[in-house]
Amino acid sequence: VTPSPRKRRKQWYQRRVRGKTAYPTSSKCMAACNKSAKCKGCSYFGKKQKYYTSTDSKVYLGGGKDKAFTKGGKSVVNNSYIFETKASGTKIKGDYLDSTTYTSLGKAMEACAKKTGCTGFTKTGKNKYRLGKTSTVETKKGMQAYMKGSTVTAYHLKLWPHMSDMVITGQGKTALKTKKKAMIACSKNAKCKGVNKVGGKYYQATGDGYTVKSGGEAWAKGSSYTPSFTYDNTVWYYKDGYKTSGDIGFGTTSYTSKDKAMYWCVRNPICNSVHYTNKKYHLRSGTKVTEAENDKAWTYGTSKVDFTKVALPVAGGMWNPRPGYKLGSPLEKKKTYKTLPLAAKACLGHPKCSGIMYTTKTKTYTIHGSDQVSSGKGYIAYPKKYVCDGNCKVTKKGKVLSIDLKYCFKVHRMEISNKANCCSKNTGKVVIKNGSKTCASLTMNGKTSAMKLDCASGAVGTKITMTFANIGDINLVGLGLVVEGSDAC
């Protein structure tokens, strides 16, 4: 029996069977319930102002401020909807909504959130999901049903289930201009139960019930929630309405693409988070979040990025960051550097330097003569990387000569040498590129055995190509480059 809207404040559901342990909050009770297979939910007894676990699957009409919370399956949030997993071996009853089969959980949730009539979806097999159109499930071996629940807003590290044409009782008098401002205020107010929207303005509400209000909207303050997802073999935690701080101090530190910012952040041991503000994604060294109404922050957890394949440009050089590894004895035993750019600059200026090492305990950098790493907790090794790994080779295909630089470099100047007796058959134009950008276009006449050129365009790439109008008997034997490491590839 569902109580009428007028009676909802005083009449609430309750369970008759309850556990012995009293919990001060619903979250603590739910956490305890999740650990017990026999637990069916939690009950709040208004007179005692405590929460209790319960093994009773039925709910009964209670009184006063009593409440009942039923344990369901695991839930995920996507496109403003909660999707609850049902028991293994279930499917949404009846025919499917349409003929489309989706290849991932995320694609199925997104499609269901946008399609009218979709009540959820069923995983019918490996990487196969079909949308449903009924609100009940049936037994089906090897399948898994997901039911679409209420719309919800995930903001300020909480879930806010949404209701239309209803408001929460006990509405305050102070109007706030935005939903976000109201949710921030409600999050900080222990008595606040949610946010109402009435007449285009937002109000905190402290009541335990709901009343019908045509055109009104309500967002109930739900449980704590930090959205997470996996991108680029890394787990990221999303915190809407927050920011992180701490500048990286070198290289490109802001991007217009979230994916690119995350890609570079997880490959830089100094970066621990991404902060979105003023239409850009900034790399940050900090993990602590602070409130910022219209900003967004992402901090990362576990990552499977292979650092042996990472090349990080710092101070014009290219380095291979290796967390958990160390180098041998330093070149300057008593000299340390406070920042990675300072250490990189010193290493590039020392003829014997082949790497940098960061010591976590002292928070300092040292320069080293060897690039050989060994396992070492509390250290980060940065062996120096070289153009072509120190062994540039020319490959020929038709009229094109190519040189694989191995890493991303900006080319400033180059000198190319041929065999002394070459080029008698070579004439015409040659276009030299680094990546997709032209570095220079030259005309070769007769025996041109060497070319020197400045790459004024500052072309960036991982491969140099030389395209000849008439390649003749060109045979490159020498290559000199002036380059600097780049993260723009």
Side-chain angles (χ1 to χ4, degrees):
V1 178
T2 302
S4 66
R6 292 180 182 177
K7 296 180 180 179
R8 281 183 180 174
R9 284 191 70 186
K10 294 183 179 180
Q11 295 186 1
W12 290 94
Y13 289 108
Q14 191 52 270
R15 288 185 170 84
R16 289 175 182 166
V17 180
R18 72 184 189 195
K20 295 180 180 180
T21 304
Y23 298 92
T25 65
S26 60
S27 59
K28 289 184 177 181
C29 181
M30 291 175 186
C33 188
N34 284 335
K35 295 178 181 179
S36 172
K38 294 182 179 180
C39 181
K40 303 299 182 182
C42 287
S43 296
Y44 176 75
F45 286 81
K47 290 182 179 180
K48 294 179 176 292
Q49 295 185 353
K50 299 290 183 181
Y51 295 83
Y52 298 84
T53 58
S54 177
T55 57
D56 192 352
S57 61
K58 295 181 180 179
V59 292
Y60 306 90
L61 200 61
K65 295 183 178 181
D66 292 352
K67 302 176 187 177
F69 303 85
T70 300
K71 182 168 74 172
K74 292 182 179 180
S75 295
V76 287
V77 177
N78 185 285
N79 269 49
S80 299
Y81 281 93
I82 294 177
F83 290 88
E84 181 188 352
T85 61
K86 294 299 181 180
S88 179
T90 58
K91 72 175 287 288
I92 296 178
K93 195 172 183 178
D95 295 333
Y96 296 112
L97 180 66
D98 54 32
S99 60
T100 305
T101 297
Y102 298 91
T103 57
S104 71
L105 178 67
K107 289 179 180 178
M109 286 192 289
E110 187 173 350
C112 187
K114 294 177 179 178
K115 280 204 172 188
T116 302
C118 181
T119 58
F121 54 90
T122 301
K123 182 180 181 181
T124 60
K126 186 177 180 180
N127 299 325
K128 293 182 179 180
Y129 299 82
R130 297 288 300 275
L131 304 187
K133 59 182 180 181
T134 65
S135 57
T136 56
V137 297
E138 60 185 356
T139 302
K140 193 70 174 179
K141 188 177 179 180
M143 294 192 180
Q144 174 74 66
Y146 295 76
M147 299 303 297
K148 183 168 75 171
S150 60
T151 57
V152 64
T153 296
Y155 181 71
H156 210 257
L157 303 184
K158 288 189 180 295
L159 287 177
W160 305 80
H162 174 248
M163 290 154 284
S164 298
D165 294 321
M166 295 188 76
V167 292
I168 303 168
T169 57
Q171 180 173 297
K173 295 181 179 180
T174 304
L176 295 161
K177 291 183 179 180
T178 68
K179 181 174 68 175
K180 288 182 177 181
K181 288 184 184 295
M183 287 179 174
I184 290 173
C186 186
S187 295
K188 297 177 180 179
N189 183 354
K191 294 182 179 180
C192 181
K193 301 300 175 63
V195 171
N196 291 336
K197 182 183 180 182
V198 179
K201 294 182 179 179
Y202 299 86
Y203 302 84
Q204 294 184 71
T206 57
D208 291 307
Y210 300 87
T211 58
V212 175
K213 178 73 174 180
S214 180
E217 293 182 78
W219 290 267
K221 183 168 71 173
S223 59
S224 298
Y225 175 70
T226 302
S228 63
F229 58 93
T230 300
Y231 173 73
D232 188 29
N233 294 313
T234 304
V235 176
W236 290 89
Y237 299 97
Y238 173 48
K239 301 170 183 181
D240 194 1
Y242 289 89
K243 66 179 181 180
T244 51
S245 59
D247 293 328
I248 298 301
F250 62 90
T252 304
T253 58
S254 63
Y255 299 86
T256 55
S257 163
K258 172 168 65 73
D259 289 352
K260 198 163 189 178
M262 288 180 171
Y263 175 90
W264 280 109
C265 181
V266 78
R267 285 162 175 76
N268 185 341
I270 295 174
C271 185
N272 292 300
S273 60
V274 173
H275 168 214
Y276 178 77
T277 186
N278 297 323
K279 298 182 179 180
K280 283 193 174 183
Y281 299 88
H282 303 266
L283 307 190
R284 303 294 191 202
S285 61
T287 57
K288 184 179 179 181
V289 295
T290 54
E291 288 179 0
E293 181 184 342
N294 295 310
D295 289 8
K296 299 174 183 179
W298 294 264
T299 58
Y300 74 84
T302 57
S303 177
K304 294 181 181 179
V305 168
D306 184 358
F307 273 93
T308 63
K309 299 178 181 179
V310 174
L312 183 68
V314 185
M318 193 66 82
W319 316 86
N320 173 215
R322 300 293 304 277
Y325 287 86
K326 62 183 180 179
L327 299 174
S329 300
L331 286 171
E332 307 165 316
K333 292 185 178 180
K334 295 183 179 181
K335 180 69 174 177
T336 61
Y337 300 87
K338 291 183 178 181
T339 68
L340 180 57
L342 287 175
K345 186 177 180 180
C347 185
L348 292 171
H350 196 297
K352 294 183 179 181
C353 185
S354 296
I356 303 164
M357 189 176 75
Y358 177 74
T359 303
T360 305
K361 186 176 181 180
T362 60
K363 296 182 179 180
T364 57
Y365 296 86
T366 48
I367 64 174
H368 297 254
S370 172
D371 60 2
Q372 298 301 305
V373 300
S374 60
S375 180
K377 188 177 180 180
Y379 298 95
I380 303 174
Y382 293 85
K384 188 193 294 183
K385 305 304 288 185
Y386 299 90
V387 176
C388 313
D389 278 334
N391 184 24
C392 291
K393 294 181 180 180
V394 179
T395 58
K396 180 180 178 181
K397 187 176 182 180
K399 295 182 179 182
V400 180
L401 299 182
S402 302
I403 303 154
D404 186 0
L405 302 178
K406 298 294 185 182
Y407 310 104
C408 184
F409 286 99
K410 178 187 286 187
V411 175
H412 293 287
R413 190 176 302 112
M414 65 174 69
E415 180 177 345
I416 303 166
S417 303
N418 302 298
K419 281 188 176 180
N421 60 352
C422 85
C423 314
S424 59
K425 299 177 182 178
N426 176 70
T427 58
K429 187 177 180 182
V430 55
V431 178
I432 302 172
K433 292 184 176 183
N434 182 24
S436 60
K437 197 168 185 179
T438 299
C439 189
S441 294
L442 303 174
T443 299
M444 299 183 69
N445 294 303
K447 291 190 176 182
T448 306
S449 61
M451 294 183 292
K452 290 184 179 180
L453 57 103
D454 289 327
C455 192
S457 65
V460 174
T462 59
K463 181 188 287 187
I464 293 174
T465 58
M466 302 173 64
T467 305
F468 293 82
N470 178 15
I471 198 164
D473 53 353
I474 287 289
N475 189 354
L476 297 187
V477 292
L479 176 68
L481 296 172
V482 177
V483 300
E484 67 173 291
S486 175
D487 56 8
C489 293

